[in-house]
Amino acid sequence: MMVGLVEVRRWQPSGLEAVFEQLSGHRDTLVGLDDELGDTRSPDGWSGAAAEAASRRHDELSEEMRRLVAGLAAVRRGTAEAADALVAVQAALADAEELARVNGFQVQENGIVVDVAPPQVAPSQVDTVRRERELIRAEVIERVNQVVRRAADIDSDLAAVLRAAVTDTVDDGESTSLADADAAGSDQGGLSTLGPPEDADPAANAGWWDSLSEAERADLLANSPELIGNLDGLPAAVRDEANRARLDGERDRLATEIADLERQLDDRLLGGWFTDLDDRLDEARDKLAAVDAIENTLDRGDRQLLLFDLSHDEARAAVAVGDVDTADHVAVLTPGFTTTVQGSLEGYDDQMRQLQRQAEDESLRYGDGGSVATVAWLGYDAPQAGWDLLSPADAVWSREPAQRGAEELADFYRGIDASRTENPHLTALGHSYGSTTTGYALQQDTGVDDAIFFGSPGLGTSDVTDLRIPPESAYVIEARNDAVADLGGLAPFGIDPNQLDGVTGLSAREEQLPDGRRLTESVGHSAYLAPDSTSQYNISVIVSGNEDRAVHDDGRGFGDWLSRPVPGTY
């Protein structure tokens, strides 16, 4: 039959639980009958045609008993798992309906999500609120779709178990006892665990995970961590557990691969000439070094491994400081040119730890006292030096790496919101070429509330309204003698961000705060997150929701004359 929300709402897991108890009683009855049947075996010494016929009939009855027990065991297990699965599915539907209700939507009987209470907002906020509500409505729709998908899978699996039992096709193998038959039937009565939706967005991933029972989630974590560790939309704690579980296996795999490649090179008279063996060996060694860097970072404690991907030319990783599942404020840093996991992760993690502490201090001092989590997201192939500089598809002067990375980054942002019942205050941080990647990502609906670009050569646009974030929530910091930021407007990424209308400039100069604290100047391209600097302070107050405490400055200097837009060209 077709399964829809009407059926999901009507299903009664308690009825299946009652059936399970009845089946358990029937199993006990059959075990008792089997004992009685054993007592009716032909007595010793009885021979002849009648004895042979009686023996055959006894064997047939015993075999029939084993088939009955095998079928009953299959139905018993299938019923129990279906009951647990239905509880999870109905809970997931309740979650989706509650998400809809608190945001002014309603899930109708046919699954359509309608807007029943649109908020009244100021004209300047109309576009922002509309985009936010579109994201929420899309998430509700995806969650409902995953409820129906999972419900149909449960229905199909249980129907298959029942058909096999009714038609005597449950195979108890070479069983010679009821215990063997019971075990064999039970093995065949388990329902399948529905895998994640293919090429789905974070809201669909969240809906799928929410629709699974606790037993199904535990099974996936134990046996298929590679399926779930990198799925945007799943809780950070789940992704962390899954990704950590893969580290030892990937280390062993890479060590074996390196040893094999080294043997092949030793066996060749010309070494790696005329082959790709040298390149493959370098890549494997780099990825093993990336695993080392990840493990060293996690050993610092209070970390979550939200991304662990060795399937690309360069290793990818994202590590959070703090708890992304519960933090009131979450910031995601995207770095740029020459960034690698093996060479850069530990340094960026240091900066994210310092920023987290600073932001929490500012939150306690002047804000809502909320908790903060920060993420170093090295989740795309950042442009590298060397031969990459000659490739239009990979070079730092090209849009393409940023545009490709933006797709992954946008999903990561959306996944943070989709994984939580209450969305955090989410800040996007982009440094250098990473600010360009961030700018392209924010030209999609992502749920980001504030964005800070520092050392930026451009945002991929010359119109700040292309960034789909709230008005007056885009910030730029440009330090003195930052040659990369001075290239803004010269590189093919749009006007220099510190000359864009609608972008607020934050200071990187030496400043004294009203509370008496003296902050140091950031100079050059790489000191924006230096402790006790004005730029780090400014980033921390935006991240913690205290934008009124920021120190402003347009950051313009002599180098910006080179990148001033020519009137009428944009």
Side-chain angles (χ1 to χ4, degrees):
M1 75 172 185
M2 294 293 293
V3 176
L5 289 189
V6 173
E7 288 71 30
V8 173
R9 290 191 175 101
R10 289 177 179 172
W11 281 346
Q12 297 181 356
S14 60
L16 289 177
E17 292 167 357
V19 170
F20 172 80
E21 294 299 329
Q22 292 173 356
L23 292 174
S24 298
H26 294 323
R27 182 187 62 177
D28 294 341
T29 299
L30 287 174
V31 170
L33 291 174
D34 185 60
D35 292 338
E36 294 181 18
L37 182 61
D39 294 338
T40 65
R41 292 182 182 278
S42 300
D44 294 339
W46 186 24
S47 62
E52 292 176 0
S55 180
R56 284 195 301 272
R57 182 57 180 155
H58 188 278
D59 289 344
E60 290 171 357
L61 289 173
S62 295
E63 181 61 29
E64 179 66 20
M65 186 76 77
R66 286 192 294 271
R67 285 199 298 270
L68 284 172
V69 168
L72 185 148
V75 174
R76 181 175 177 271
R77 178 180 173 186
T79 299
E81 292 192 3
D84 289 344
L86 291 187
V87 169
V89 164
Q90 290 183 331
L93 177 57
D95 289 344
E97 291 179 322
E98 178 64 10
L99 177 64
R101 186 192 66 78
V102 299
N103 288 284
F105 297 101
Q106 183 182 70
V107 181
Q108 297 185 325
E109 285 292 308
N110 58 6
I112 293 177
V113 179
V114 296
D115 193 340
V116 294
Q120 300 298 314
V121 297
S124 61
Q125 295 292 318
V126 168
D127 287 342
T128 298
V129 172
R130 176 181 55 79
R131 290 196 296 264
E132 290 174 349
R133 289 178 61 74
E134 285 174 354
L135 270 178
I136 293 169
R137 181 174 180 272
E139 181 178 342
V140 174
I141 291 171
E142 288 294 351
R143 286 180 174 272
V144 170
N145 288 342
Q146 292 307 309
V147 164
V148 173
R149 175 173 174 259
R150 178 60 180 137
D153 181 67
I154 296 167
D155 182 70
S156 175
D157 279 359
L158 184 57
V161 170
L162 296 175
R163 282 194 299 269
V166 168
T167 57
D168 288 334
T169 58
V170 173
D171 180 14
D172 64 346
E174 300 295 326
S175 62
T176 58
S177 69
L178 284 192
D180 293 335
D182 183 72
S186 182
D187 286 344
Q188 296 175 67
L191 304 189
S192 65
T193 298
L194 183 67
E198 293 185 7
D199 300 323
D201 67 17
N205 292 335
W208 164 74
W209 184 255
D210 203 29
S211 75
L212 300 179
S213 68
E214 289 299 325
E216 290 169 323
R217 294 176 188 173
D219 178 70
L220 283 167
L221 278 168
N223 299 308
S224 303
E226 71 282 354
L227 284 181
I228 57 179
N230 296 330
L231 283 183
D232 295 314
L234 269 59
V238 171
R239 298 178 68 168
D240 178 55
E241 182 178 349
N243 286 325
R244 286 176 188 256
R246 298 177 52 223
L247 287 170
D248 287 343
E250 288 299 299
R251 173 181 291 283
D252 292 344
R253 180 186 65 80
L254 288 167
T256 300
E257 181 181 350
I258 289 169
D260 181 60
L261 289 168
E262 288 174 340
R263 280 193 298 270
Q264 292 184 56
L265 285 167
D266 288 342
D267 291 342
R268 289 178 57 86
L269 181 63
L270 298 178
W273 286 24
F274 310 112
T275 73
D276 63 351
L277 292 177
D278 284 326
D279 290 339
R280 288 167 57 194
L281 180 58
D282 288 343
E283 181 179 321
R285 286 172 172 166
D286 284 345
K287 288 180 178 178
L288 185 57
V291 174
D292 288 338
I294 291 169
E295 291 184 331
N296 291 340
T297 302
L298 296 177
D299 285 345
R300 295 169 173 172
D302 193 26
R303 302 299 196 273
Q304 293 175 321
L305 181 55
L306 305 183
L307 175 65
F308 175 50
D309 186 356
L310 302 182
S311 65
H312 303 271
D313 292 342
E314 293 284 343
R316 299 180 181 182
V319 176
V321 181
D323 189 347
V324 172
D325 288 329
T326 62
D328 300 293
H329 307 276
V330 177
V332 179
L333 170 68
T334 303
F337 184 46
T338 72
T339 297
T340 65
V341 174
Q342 62 272 21
S344 312
L345 176 62
E346 293 179 74
Y348 282 120
D349 178 77
D350 282 336
Q351 294 177 350
M352 289 299 96
R353 179 55 170 163
Q354 292 160 0
L355 177 63
Q356 187 228 18
R357 289 173 174 168
Q358 179 72 30
E360 286 197 335
D361 286 347
E362 299 304 327
S363 180
L364 289 170
R365 184 180 283 111
Y366 297 116
D368 58 10
S371 57
V372 177
T374 54
V375 183
W377 186 83
L378 283 67
Y380 76 119
D381 293 334
Q384 301 295 312
W387 292 110
D388 280 1
L389 294 174
L390 303 179
S391 170
D394 302 307
V396 70
W397 47 263
S398 169
R399 299 182 182 93
E400 293 187 33
Q403 290 171 331
R404 291 194 302 268
E407 296 302 316
E408 306 286 344
L409 181 56
D411 275 346
F412 189 80
Y413 293 143
R414 286 190 285 260
I416 291 174
D417 281 354
S419 67
R420 298 179 40 149
T421 54
E422 293 185 6
N423 295 341
H425 167 237
L426 181 58
T427 303
L429 310 177
H431 175 238
S432 190
Y433 190 86
S435 70
T436 307
T437 304
T438 302
Y440 280 119
L442 296 181
Q443 293 174 46
Q444 308 175 45
D445 288 323
T446 60
V448 167
D449 300 294
D450 288 298
I452 310 173
F453 310 98
F454 41 103
S456 177
L459 309 183
T461 179
S462 295
D463 186 347
V464 72
T465 62
D466 288 339
L467 305 182
R468 299 172 75 85
I469 55 178
E472 301 180 0
S473 61
Y475 301 87
V476 63
I477 310 176
E478 183 172 324
R480 182 166 54 88
N481 297 337
D482 184 344
V484 173
D486 286 338
L487 291 175
L490 300 179
F493 309 133
I495 293 175
D496 188 333
N498 75 350
Q499 301 183 39
L500 268 178
D501 291 336
V503 175
T504 301
L506 300 177
S507 177
R509 303 179 188 277
E510 182 179 353
E511 303 279 0
Q512 182 164 347
L513 300 179
D515 60 16
R517 283 181 288 170
R518 180 165 292 280
L519 304 172
T520 62
E521 181 180 17
S522 300
V523 179
H525 186 59
S526 303
Y528 290 96
L529 288 163
D532 300 319
S533 66
T534 302
S535 57
Q536 189 220 39
Y537 164 82
N538 273 325
I539 293 169
S540 73
V541 296
I542 302 301
V543 167
S544 60
N546 296 300
E547 61 277 357
D548 59 318
R549 309 294 303 185
V551 181
H552 297 275
D553 182 81
D554 61 18
R556 296 178 187 174
F558 175 77
D560 291 292
W561 286 93
L562 300 174
S563 59
R564 291 183 65 185
V566 177
T569 60
Y570 290 98

